Amino acid sequence: MGIPVQQQLILGKYLLKKKVKRERKFPLLVEIEPLFACNLACSGCGKIQYPKEILKKRLSVQEVLGAMEECGAPMCSIAGGEPLIHPEMDVMVRELLARGKIVFLCTNALLLEKKMHLFEPHPRFSWTIHIDGLRERHDETVCREGTFDKAVAALREAKRRGFRVTTNSTFFKSDSPEDVRSVLNFLNDELEVDGMMISPGFAYEKAPKPEEFLSVPEARALFRAAFADGHRERWRLNQSPLFLDYLEGKANLECTPWAIPSYSIFGWQKPCYLMGDGYVETYEELLETTEWERYGRGRDPRCANCMAHCGHEPTAVMATMGSLREAARAAVNSNA
Ligand code: SF4
Ligand code: SF4
């Protein structure tokens, strides 16, 4: 992943240990969903459809620390729902950082300016702000006017206070290569974010409008056209070069969903956060009881159009670490 040098060293050390021990399945990053409640109601969201009693539930700080300790992953990405609704989010982040973890806090940024004072800049902590397009397009996706301006104002303030700020943008069938370029140019050049993550919207099981999501050939054509003319090299994309090759159809990657597992109020999700084939209480149980060979493109029809980061970026990271040429490309692309 295009991450700062300190974070790359932590990750490199962790991967080396796994290699020495000849472990083949292990977690790199845990997607933590400490709640499903949100202060927005985006049309493409499957989380907020849960019944009220589920939306009221929260993972405790201790549950999250216990899960991270049990699985041993060096990184976590806290999402949801909207994590800043969680009353102890600042404590959770502090405790994770105190245990040496790399923490990404994913937010729609509506509460960011109000809650920012509870957090401190840290080399292993990043805000990851959800921006799906420029003003009109973003507000339309999240179904609320004014959200883009609020997110941009919070993003600028976070940068001003010295936080590392990354963004996450999802693209759909209605997006053109120019739409992708205009939002990435804005984030890269005008807001000067530290890193940008992009994904093709994928029609996961609970997604309400599957017709709006991109097929693999459509996603590849979109990213290939958007990346052309040196744009890909110019942008501070927070993803490994090999994963970006995969997005634009220059490489193929198998799915390795055990490496970015999902832990939520239901437990560890089988096989990944996009599909719910059951939940278990521990990561060890997840590894042992999931029939991993059943999943991935060509094996499970539900995976047919999936190019998701959670399944394919770890494959790219592990291939990068195992190849001198790819490691050199990633180092050139890293943002220290
Ligand atoms: S901000 Fe995220 S969690 Fe909230 S409704 Fe939108 S997609 Fe769902
Ligand atoms: S391809 Fe992998 S990440 Fe995508 S839905 Fe299937 S198991 Fe999950």
Side-chain angles (χ1 to χ4, degrees):
M1 287 170 221
I3 53 179
V5 171
Q6 191 199 19
Q7 298 185 13
Q8 286 199 21
L9 288 176
I10 294 173
L11 195 55
K13 206 166 139 194
Y14 175 77
L15 286 170
L16 191 65
K17 261 194 205 161
K18 296 292 177 189
K19 199 168 179 177
V20 170
K21 287 189 188 165
R22 294 178 192 273
E23 282 181 45
R24 296 200 46 213
K25 289 193 176 78
F26 51 84
L28 281 181
L29 176 147
V30 182
E31 299 264 8
I32 299 172
E33 296 178 314
L35 78 174
F36 291 133
C38 190
N39 47 3
L40 278 175
C42 306
S43 61
C45 179
K47 310 289 175 185
I48 53 172
Q49 297 168 340
Y50 283 109
K52 262 190 195 153
E53 57 278 16
I54 300 292
L55 293 178
K56 275 189 206 153
K57 291 195 173 170
R58 313 281 181 257
L59 275 176
S60 69
V61 173
Q62 278 317 317
E63 284 170 316
V64 169
L65 297 178
M68 287 301 289
E69 191 176 328
E70 189 249 331
C71 77
M75 305 192 274
C76 61
S77 169
I78 307 174
E82 171 50 50
L84 288 178
I85 292 179
H86 193 294
E88 288 193 295
M89 190 44 57
D90 55 321
V91 182
M92 197 182 287
V93 169
R94 243 188 333 272
E95 293 295 329
L96 286 164
L97 290 172
R99 284 160 179 76
K101 304 298 177 191
I102 298 167
V103 182
F104 298 89
L105 181 44
C106 306
T107 174
N108 60 34
L110 287 185
L111 287 171
L112 185 50
E113 284 198 272
K114 189 172 162 199
K115 299 235 171 165
M116 207 181 295
H117 69 281
L118 299 171
F119 299 81
E120 278 174 23
H122 189 289
R124 282 185 278 106
F125 174 66
S126 310
W127 297 107
T128 299
I129 299 179
H130 172 191
I131 305 258
D132 277 345
L134 295 180
R135 185 177 291 112
E136 199 183 327
R137 166 76 173 76
H138 180 81
D139 286 357
E140 187 193 326
T141 308
V142 302
C143 306
R144 192 188 299 176
E145 246 177 69
T147 308
F148 176 83
D149 287 341
K150 222 165 171 181
V152 168
L155 193 157
R156 285 190 202 274
E157 180 57 17
K159 291 280 301 171
R160 196 190 64 77
R161 293 196 200 182
F163 286 100
R164 181 176 149 80
V165 182
T166 62
T167 52
N168 189 358
S169 306
T170 306
F171 297 100
F172 297 89
K173 216 170 213 161
S174 54
D175 287 307
S176 67
E178 289 67 38
D179 294 331
V180 177
R181 283 184 182 183
S182 58
V183 66
L184 295 185
N185 282 339
F186 175 70
L187 297 172
N188 195 80
D189 303 337
E190 198 164 327
L191 298 184
E192 299 184 343
V193 300
D194 297 285
M196 306 176 293
M197 212 165 89
I198 52 172
S199 350
F202 166 61
Y204 54 96
E205 276 185 314
K206 283 182 166 291
K209 292 184 187 167
E211 68 282 0
E212 290 180 4
F213 295 85
L214 291 154
S215 66
V216 171
E218 285 166 343
R220 290 187 154 162
L222 176 69
F223 291 119
R224 199 161 46 242
F227 287 172
D229 307 323
H231 282 82
R232 171 176 155 177
E233 292 69 30
R234 208 177 64 72
W235 290 326
R236 288 182 297 284
L237 292 167
N238 203 25
Q239 286 153 313
S240 68
L242 197 53
F243 182 72
L244 295 173
D245 283 351
Y246 172 66
L247 282 186
E248 63 169 317
K250 290 181 179 168
N252 260 322
L253 295 172
E254 289 285 311
C255 175
T256 48
W258 57 84
I260 301 198
S262 171
Y263 178 69
S264 73
I265 53 172
F266 297 129
W268 294 89
Q269 187 169 339
K270 292 181 171 194
C272 64
Y273 88 96
L274 296 161
M275 294 208 286
D277 285 358
Y279 295 86
V280 288
E281 280 181 23
T282 63
Y283 181 72
E284 196 183 345
E285 217 182 325
L286 179 80
L287 274 191
E288 283 172 4
T289 64
T290 309
E291 292 174 68
W292 300 106
E293 60 289 348
R294 276 182 39 203
Y295 298 102
R297 252 187 291 142
R299 293 195 283 269
D300 185 317
R302 294 170 300 173
C303 299
N305 280 315
C306 177
M307 299 182 82
H309 165 260
C310 67
H312 303 90
E313 174 74 284
T315 323
V317 171
M318 287 190 248
T320 301
M321 293 294 179
S323 145
L324 269 179
R325 181 176 164 272
E326 287 302 332
R329 274 177 89 202
V332 167
N333 283 283
S334 73
N335 36 62

